Amino acid sequence: MPAFEGLSWTFDTVASTYEKLRPGYVEELYQKIFEYIPIDENSNVVEIGSGGGQATAPMLKTGCKLTAVEYGEQFSALLKEKFKENPKFSVITGKFEDVEFAENSFDLVFSASAFHWIPEKIGYEKVYAMLKNGGVFARFANHPYRDKGNTALSMEIDDIYDEYYNKFYNKKRETICEYTEKQAKDRAMIANKYGFTDIDYELFHRERVFTAKEYIELLGTYSDHIAIEETIRTKFFGAIEKAINHHSGTITVYDTMDLQLARK
């Protein structure tokens, strides 16, 4: 039976598509970070799992020195090209767990939709050691929820997932719910176990509308979808595209973005 563990490699196979379709985060999220810890040209920052640089660009606007740690070689190349004009930006290609950083050296360590790939204890303890006293760890992610305004379409897509996705992974259908404030708070409080204080969190929301083709391209950036055997994945995606076109031609995704902040 296929496993979900170790799927981080799949992101690197669709680097250019990922950059195009993963939308980044709302401005209010960054404002919250910068209210919690002012970042400027004197700040030393590390980003864990930069991907296509959606969260990198807003951070670089502060003038900070930013080191990106990115496991994927294609993403690393994309980042180097994208930010080649910025002399204060650099990329380390490798797993965060394997990269050595000086202790007590960084003002901010942040990770956008990537920290869940790192074993909890290893990740939090390493970030804590890297930060200066008073330094901050910011963890945030986007949690998309499928069109809740079109029940018929959602039900049809659920049936398609049963036929292809759940059968491939030998899974039973799960009830999909929107990301909650309790989940955000529980995630925020993980940092308390590793010595962090002044813990805070906040949720942000937005809506995105996709054509059937665009939505299929979006699904093609999800690691567990990429890992499905190609002939099955082709039929799976084709059935979803047909369902969307049959109903209205578009599908709305409701995003909940959660931000967790913690101080050393």
Side-chain angles (χ1 to χ4, degrees):
M1 179 182 74
F4 286 98
E5 290 78 5
L7 292 181
S8 56
W9 64 269
T10 56
F11 287 118
D12 200 43
T13 65
V14 288
S16 59
T17 305
Y18 186 98
E19 184 191 24
K20 172 187 172 183
L21 290 169
R22 293 297 183 101
Y25 303 86
V26 295
E27 183 62 31
E28 291 81 3
L29 184 148
Y30 297 103
Q31 291 174 357
K32 176 74 174 180
I33 294 174
F34 299 144
E35 289 170 3
Y36 188 89
I37 179 168
I39 298 296
D40 58 26
E41 64 274 7
N42 297 312
S43 302
N44 197 6
V45 177
V46 169
E47 180 179 10
I48 303 168
S50 302
Q54 287 88 344
T56 314
M59 201 63 65
L60 283 172
K61 288 180 181 179
T62 66
C64 69
K65 177 184 178 183
L66 195 157
T67 303
V69 183
E70 172 53 48
Y71 180 48
E73 293 183 0
Q74 292 185 43
F75 273 129
S76 291
L78 185 153
L79 291 164
K80 289 174 183 177
E81 177 63 25
K82 187 174 184 177
F83 301 114
K84 64 182 178 182
E85 302 299 326
N86 193 319
K88 300 180 76 172
F89 174 76
S90 61
V91 181
I92 298 173
T93 304
K95 287 187 176 182
F96 174 69
E97 304 95 300
D98 300 333
V99 179
E100 292 187 8
F101 287 99
E103 296 186 358
N104 304 306
S105 299
F106 299 94
D107 301 285
L108 172 68
V109 176
F110 74 99
S111 185
S113 296
F115 203 69
H116 61 285
W117 295 112
I118 302 168
E120 178 188 302
K121 187 174 188 294
I122 293 172
Y124 277 93
E125 288 184 350
K126 185 165 186 173
V127 170
Y128 189 89
M130 292 167 58
L131 289 169
K132 301 174 183 176
N133 288 333
V136 168
F137 178 40
R139 175 180 180 175
F140 47 103
N142 183 45
H143 307 273
Y145 182 70
R146 199 170 62 229
D147 203 334
K148 57 188 176 183
N150 192 332
T151 304
L153 174 58
S154 287
M155 290 176 64
E156 187 168 342
I157 291 177
D158 282 340
D159 290 339
I160 294 168
Y161 267 79
D162 281 343
E163 184 175 354
Y164 296 102
Y165 180 97
N166 292 336
K167 186 178 292 185
F168 179 78
Y169 283 112
N170 194 25
K171 289 166 58 73
K172 293 183 178 179
R173 180 184 296 191
E174 299 176 354
T175 301
I176 301 173
C177 300
E178 285 189 271
Y179 192 81
T180 67
E181 182 173 354
K182 182 181 184 304
Q183 288 174 293
K185 181 178 180 180
D186 289 346
R187 178 173 285 182
M189 294 311 297
I190 294 172
N192 187 57
K193 294 160 52 178
Y194 300 97
F196 289 91
T197 61
D198 192 21
I199 294 169
D200 197 5
Y201 70 94
E202 191 164 332
L203 296 179
F204 307 87
H205 302 276
R206 71 168 166 224
E207 296 179 14
R208 293 178 288 154
V209 179
F210 295 90
T211 64
K213 184 177 184 299
E214 289 170 340
Y215 188 67
I216 293 308
E217 290 180 338
L218 175 67
L219 293 183
T221 68
Y222 293 157
S223 59
D224 52 343
H225 290 57
I226 301 167
I228 295 174
E229 196 275 322
E230 185 175 2
T231 56
I232 298 172
R233 186 174 70 245
T234 299
K235 293 177 182 178
F236 175 37
F237 284 4
I240 292 176
E241 184 173 5
K242 183 178 178 181
I244 294 170
N245 282 326
H246 174 74
H247 284 270
S248 62
T250 62
I251 184 168
T252 302
V253 174
Y254 298 82
D255 290 329
T256 300
M257 289 152 280
D258 64 324
L259 168 66
Q260 289 84 29
L261 295 163
R263 197 180 306 276
K264 179 174 177 179

